[in-house]
Amino acid sequence: MSSVFQRQDMYETVVVDREQDVVLTTGQLYGLQVRREVDRSFKPVIPFAPHLFGSGKTRFVKSYLELVKSMGERALIGPENISDYEKDRRRSFLDKLHEAVLLYVDLTELKPTDPKEKSLKWAVYYLIIKTACLQVGIPMMRKTQAYETVEMESLNLVTLLRDILNLRTDQFLLVAFDEIGMLDSRGQYFDLEVNDGRVRSYNDFFRILWELCLEDNVFFIVVGKSEGLNIRNYAISVSRVELTFIPLSPLEKHSIIEHLEKSSSFMFTGSPKVSQILCHQHFSTNELAELLLELTGVVPGLLVKAINYLLRCRLSQDHLLLSKESFWMIMNDSIATNYCVDPLLPRLSSLSETRQRLLKMLTLLALYHIRFELGELVHLSSTFDVFLFDLVTDMCFYRRLIVDENHQERYEVLIPKLLIGYIEQSVNNDRLEWLLLQTLKAQPVEFFYESKCRVFEGLVATMFYLHFCYHPTDSLMFSILGQLSSVWKEMNLKFSSESTAYYMKSIHYTRSTSEVERTTFGINDWKKIVEEMLEFEKIYIPFEPTSRSPDVLFKLHGRTSEQNLIVGIACKGRWSLNGIRWNEIVDEARKFLKPVHDQVLTIHPTFHCMLVIMSTKLSTSVETDLNHSSHCYSCGDRVAGDFRIPRNCELIILSESDVENFIGKDILSSLRSAFKSTDNPHSRSIGISTVQEMVLSLSKNI
């Protein structure tokens, strides 16, 4: 990589949107202080951020005390109802935290230290002492002198640190340890305790911190890429330390705008704001924020890298005016992407066979925004399990914490688009993973935070796509449709080239407009949709649930170029005892078949339109009327005595058994179990075993 890209950051970054993390961290530090005052045999609590590169760990801990000051009382006193006495205690704690001193300790500097080379405790102690000396700019304390002064006693260490840092005995000392993951490789150099037949360096490390937490007015934060959940579980049982996760989730779109408008670049005359440098009259800060959101997933480290690269391009090309097109031209270049993901390249380019097998599961989680519980396990073999929470970090992906209206915490997997190209290179022979990644890459920015749980719709779309690509002649579903519809039999069912699922604009009663582009189709736009938007050999999903169109759309061509079939699939997930009723089926047919007939088929007499009702459960009356079989209603037929099928249109209602055979009995059973008691499936965890079953089912179709 060119040396120009090895230089320091091009701008002074401003930390934004970390209020929740500040509140959580401050609450834990306060909890430690309260426990110390109440019970000397307490279990210490330490804020812990075991995240991947780019999550903002280092910037957060270095900026934490400044963030606390900027938030004022909100850092510890929230809207909850607490007594005046408790408020006074918290204010007193905040006052002392405002004058605290932060000691940032980089564990990459940890190494065996004389005169106790095999002691991890002494290595940590001396690293803290050395860091304190460097921070205040005094000569380094000799190792033997430091050892004789401290005598491996926590009280002596804290006393020495206060002397070096010139702290009062009642003044808070906050020690932040970064790069805790270094213990994975450095632990071999020390004599460590054996627990359950294994040596775990993290247990010894947190046991050291447990001793230090017994001393007054000393607090700790620990961050760094690691197997966080595994470490936390052992720390609480073995080291008697309670680790509380700092989420450090990816940021929001409004945070990008704030970051761009508050951060300044010293590389340009007058140190203007980044937004002033990169944006202009025809390219707004909001537009740039959307592009950065789509590219980086608003992972802070990736965001800062991308902005740095754009600023360097702007500095070297004085007349460069950014636009949506030039942004993607710049950022899709391999030099730009390599620069942005450089710390992750070694891992991304060398995925093991085991990790490659897990990629499809993680990609499905990210694609469908499936949430998972903190303690969910992934079975790698009959004898080895791993926490999904830790696996996401190990695979170079990111987690987003989601807190629902019931204060239930769950996580989502985030795969930034910057990483997808590198993952593709590692799995170039896996066609299902390629399809899932391409579909993920095609997701519009609107999907990023607001997508609903589309598991069933996504499965149906993906299964149809795989059947078109790999099994057009031996697909049981295609055979059933062919038996029901003579028009279907006339269509070309083979996709000649591998593509991906695409996301189309949704269809509503009213047309919402913006300065950039219209974000929806109107209900009178079916001619435009069919002629201009729907392309052959592609599957489309409206990018948000809509009451005005089917859940999946595609267009097939027949033996002649004039023959076209527009197909809509209404995916009706019914997870409780109540199946879909006739009035719902009629509503689905009326909102699709009639407008397509009126707006399209009257102009194109060789075109046909088909709606397929694919429901996980039919009502008793529907099942009985259809004799528990799939059925096709053709032109002129009346549905439930209420709706007449228009000319060149068909309505197919699939039986429960045919849907079950297409999707898979085990998958539907798991989805039914997860969703049966809620009207909001997106808030539920469907279980990793279900996701793994989905991967197996999809893989069988290739």
Side-chain angles (χ1 to χ4, degrees):
M1 190 181 297
S2 173
S3 60
V4 68
F5 299 120
Q6 302 298 335
R7 300 187 317 198
Q8 61 181 337
D9 285 348
M10 293 283 292
Y11 71 110
E12 296 285 351
T13 60
V14 174
V15 178
V16 296
D17 198 21
R18 287 301 183 209
E19 286 80 3
Q20 290 184 342
D21 300 299
V22 170
V23 170
L24 184 146
T25 302
T26 308
Q28 298 306 312
L29 299 181
Y30 176 68
L32 172 57
Q33 183 76 338
V34 171
R35 293 185 187 191
R36 264 197 292 242
E37 295 172 355
V38 173
D39 181 8
R40 296 304 293 181
S41 62
F42 68 95
K43 183 174 290 185
V45 58
I46 297 175
F48 181 38
H51 305 301
L52 187 61
F53 155 81
S55 57
K57 307 177 299 294
T58 302
R59 292 180 191 271
F60 176 75
V61 295
K62 287 185 174 182
S63 306
Y64 169 70
L65 292 179
E66 295 176 18
L67 295 171
V68 169
K69 290 178 183 177
S70 67
M71 285 187 65
E73 289 190 353
R74 292 183 298 116
L76 191 56
I77 303 175
E80 68 271 17
N81 187 20
I82 58 177
S83 66
D84 291 339
Y85 171 74
E86 177 63 18
K87 285 183 180 179
D88 289 340
R89 288 187 66 186
R90 296 189 181 196
R91 288 191 182 103
S92 176
F93 180 83
L94 281 174
D95 288 341
K96 298 185 72 173
L97 194 58
H98 289 166
E99 61 176 16
V101 170
L102 173 70
L103 186 63
Y104 173 80
V105 181
D106 186 353
L107 287 173
T108 60
E109 300 295 324
L110 183 70
K111 55 188 176 184
T113 307
D114 291 335
K116 298 276 288 184
E117 289 190 344
K118 289 294 185 178
S119 170
L120 176 62
K121 181 177 179 179
W122 173 238
V124 171
Y125 273 23
Y126 186 71
L127 179 58
I128 298 174
I129 296 169
K130 185 171 100 172
T131 303
C133 292
L134 289 171
Q135 183 161 308
V136 297
I138 65 172
M140 199 73 63
M141 199 172 187
R142 289 184 295 109
K143 297 172 185 175
T144 53
Q145 179 190 2
Y147 182 77
E148 292 169 359
T149 302
V150 172
E151 295 181 329
M152 300 289 278
E153 294 290 337
S154 58
L155 176 59
N156 293 343
L157 173 63
V158 173
T159 302
L160 176 59
L161 291 174
R162 291 191 178 281
D163 182 53
I164 295 172
L165 298 170
N166 194 26
L167 298 179
R168 304 186 312 272
T169 56
D170 66 339
Q171 193 171 357
F172 286 177
L173 171 61
L174 177 59
V175 183
F177 287 101
D178 198 356
E179 300 292 354
I180 188 178
M182 295 304 298
L183 291 173
D184 286 327
S185 57
R186 302 290 169 83
Q188 61 181 310
Y189 300 118
F190 304 101
D191 290 331
L192 303 175
E193 187 177 335
V194 178
N195 299 110
D196 298 330
R198 291 185 58 187
V199 172
R200 295 182 174 89
S201 54
Y202 296 100
N203 292 346
D204 296 74
F205 176 77
F206 283 109
R207 186 66 181 179
I208 295 167
L209 298 197
W210 174 82
E211 292 181 4
L212 289 168
C213 283
L214 299 179
E215 307 304 327
D216 290 334
N217 300 324
V218 182
F219 304 86
F220 297 93
I221 301 176
V222 178
V223 303
K225 178 188 174 298
S226 59
E227 293 183 352
L229 187 53
N230 196 35
I231 292 170
R232 190 196 73 163
N233 291 346
Y234 277 104
I236 199 168
S237 61
V238 178
S239 307
R240 299 191 66 245
V241 172
E242 184 178 322
L243 302 179
T244 302
F245 292 132
I246 310 172
L248 293 179
S249 292
L251 307 177
E252 306 279 345
K253 176 186 169 183
H254 67 82
S255 305
I256 308 179
I257 296 175
E258 183 182 359
H259 181 78
L260 292 169
E261 292 179 342
K262 288 186 176 181
S263 300
S264 302
S265 177
F266 48 85
M267 300 297 291
F268 293 80
T269 304
S271 295
K273 304 300 183 185
V274 172
S275 58
Q276 296 173 325
I277 300 168
L278 297 178
C279 302
H280 49 85
Q281 181 181 357
H282 304 294
F283 185 66
S284 68
T285 306
N286 185 68
E287 290 176 87
L288 177 58
E290 283 205 349
L291 295 172
L292 289 168
L293 165 66
E294 188 170 349
L295 178 72
T296 69
V298 207
V299 173
L302 298 180
L303 175 67
V304 170
K305 284 269 195 176
I307 293 173
N308 266 314
Y309 192 88
L310 290 171
L311 288 172
R312 288 191 173 110
C313 291
R314 180 70 176 79
L315 189 65
S316 61
Q317 303 175 45
D318 187 49
H319 299 293
L320 173 66
L321 288 178
L322 276 182
S323 63
K324 182 175 182 179
E325 293 72 23
S326 63
F327 174 91
W328 287 116
M329 187 178 300
I330 292 170
M331 297 311 300
N332 282 334
D333 186 272
S334 60
I335 296 177
T337 55
N338 286 346
Y339 168 73
C340 291
V341 305
D342 182 59
L344 306 178
L345 283 179
R347 178 61 65 95
L348 287 171
S349 60
S350 60
L351 290 174
S352 67
E353 185 177 335
T354 300
R355 295 212 303 271
Q356 285 190 30
R357 289 202 305 269
L358 296 170
L359 261 177
K360 288 187 283 290
M361 179 191 72
L362 291 173
T363 308
L364 271 180
L365 288 170
L367 181 61
Y368 297 151
H369 294 255
I370 298 172
R371 298 174 183 178
F372 64 91
E373 310 280 354
L374 176 64
E376 289 204 52
L377 286 167
V378 177
H379 302 289
L380 299 185
S381 68
S382 58
T383 59
F384 183 56
D385 297 334
V386 63
F387 288 111
L388 178 56
F389 184 92
D390 294 336
L391 179 63
V392 173
T393 301
D394 184 59
M395 297 286 287
C396 293
F397 300 152
Y398 297 88
R399 295 177 297 266
R400 184 189 298 115
L401 174 66
I402 307 294
V403 182
D404 64 21
E405 62 275 7
N406 298 317
H407 306 291
Q408 179 79 37
E409 294 186 353
R410 292 186 177 87
Y411 295 87
E412 288 183 357
V413 177
L414 169 65
I415 304 178
K417 291 188 179 181
L418 260 174
L419 306 184
I420 291 178
Y422 298 95
I423 302 170
E424 289 173 340
Q425 295 173 21
S426 300
V427 293
N428 52 10
N429 293 322
D430 191 324
R431 304 316 298 165
L432 176 58
E433 178 61 26
W434 179 88
L435 168 65
L436 296 175
L437 287 171
Q438 290 300 311
T439 306
L440 188 62
K441 185 188 291 186
Q443 281 192 352
V445 70
E446 289 89 347
F447 245 63
F448 193 75
Y449 288 113
E450 300 176 0
S451 67
K452 305 298 185 289
C453 188
R454 311 290 290 282
V455 177
F456 186 50
E457 295 92 324
L459 267 175
V460 170
T462 306
M463 294 286 277
F464 264 93
Y465 175 82
L466 294 176
H467 282 229
F468 280 127
C469 283
Y470 300 103
H471 303 284
T473 58
D474 59 358
S475 165
L476 178 60
M477 175 54 66
F478 287 7
S479 175
I480 292 170
L481 293 174
Q483 294 171 21
L484 295 170
S485 167
S486 59
V487 176
W488 179 272
K489 287 198 300 185
E490 294 295 314
M491 293 298 113
N492 180 3
L493 303 178
K494 171 65 176 175
F495 281 11
S496 58
S497 61
E498 293 182 338
S499 180
T500 179
Y502 285 80
Y503 295 89
M504 60 171 280
K505 300 171 187 177
S506 295
I507 301 164
H508 296 284
Y509 272 118
T510 58
R511 303 178 181 185
S512 63
T513 59
S514 69
E515 294 179 2
V516 183
E517 62 178 342
R518 201 172 72 195
T519 57
T520 63
F521 286 113
I523 59 173
N524 296 317
D525 285 343
W526 280 106
K527 181 176 182 294
K528 181 176 182 180
I529 293 170
V530 171
E531 293 180 352
E532 300 179 23
M533 198 277 298
L534 293 182
E535 297 182 24
F536 293 115
E537 303 194 3
K538 290 182 180 178
I539 304 284
Y540 292 86
I541 306 173
F543 64 52
E544 62 181 40
T546 170
S547 61
R548 306 312 307 167
S549 73
D551 301 291
V552 179
L553 284 165
F554 52 87
K555 184 168 67 174
L556 302 174
H557 55 78
R559 295 175 182 175
T560 66
S561 59
E562 291 80 16
Q563 288 181 305
N564 282 189
L565 175 62
I566 303 117
V567 181
I569 303 175
C571 304
K572 313 303 289 185
R574 290 294 185 271
W575 314 111
S576 62
L577 295 176
N578 301 316
I580 186 172
R581 302 183 299 274
W582 276 117
N583 64 307
E584 295 175 271
I585 293 174
V586 169
D587 286 345
E588 291 292 331
R590 183 176 283 119
K591 78 182 184 186
F592 178 59
L593 296 180
K594 189 173 190 316
V596 172
H597 169 268
D598 294 347
Q599 299 171 40
V600 181
L601 304 189
T602 54
I603 302 173
H604 300 282
T606 59
F607 283 21
H608 286 74
C609 182
M610 172 188 291
L611 176 66
V612 180
I613 303 292
M614 184 171 285
S615 178
T616 58
K617 188 171 183 60
L618 303 174
S619 68
T620 302
S621 62
V622 174
E623 279 266 90
T624 301
D625 291 347
L626 298 181
N627 196 26
H628 303 278
S629 301
S630 297
H631 187 78
C632 178
Y633 291 87
S634 301
C635 171
D637 292 344
R638 282 194 175 273
V639 182
D642 184 38
F643 176 72
R644 186 184 296 274
I645 302 295
R647 181 180 176 83
N648 286 359
C649 292
E650 292 179 324
L651 169 66
I652 291 179
I653 305 173
L654 294 174
S655 68
E656 290 182 21
S657 60
D658 286 340
V659 173
E660 185 177 273
N661 289 332
F662 183 60
I663 299 298
K665 181 177 181 180
D666 292 339
I667 293 176
L668 288 182
S669 176
S670 297
L671 293 177
R672 190 172 290 113
S673 176
F675 297 159
K676 64 182 178 182
S677 62
T678 180
D679 293 327
N680 180 18
H682 191 43
S683 68
R684 298 296 300 272
S685 168
I686 67 174
I688 295 307
S689 59
T690 301
V691 180
Q692 291 178 308
E693 187 70 39
M694 288 161 56
V695 170
L696 287 174
S697 178
L698 292 171
S699 298
K700 291 175 183 177
N701 287 281
I702 292 184

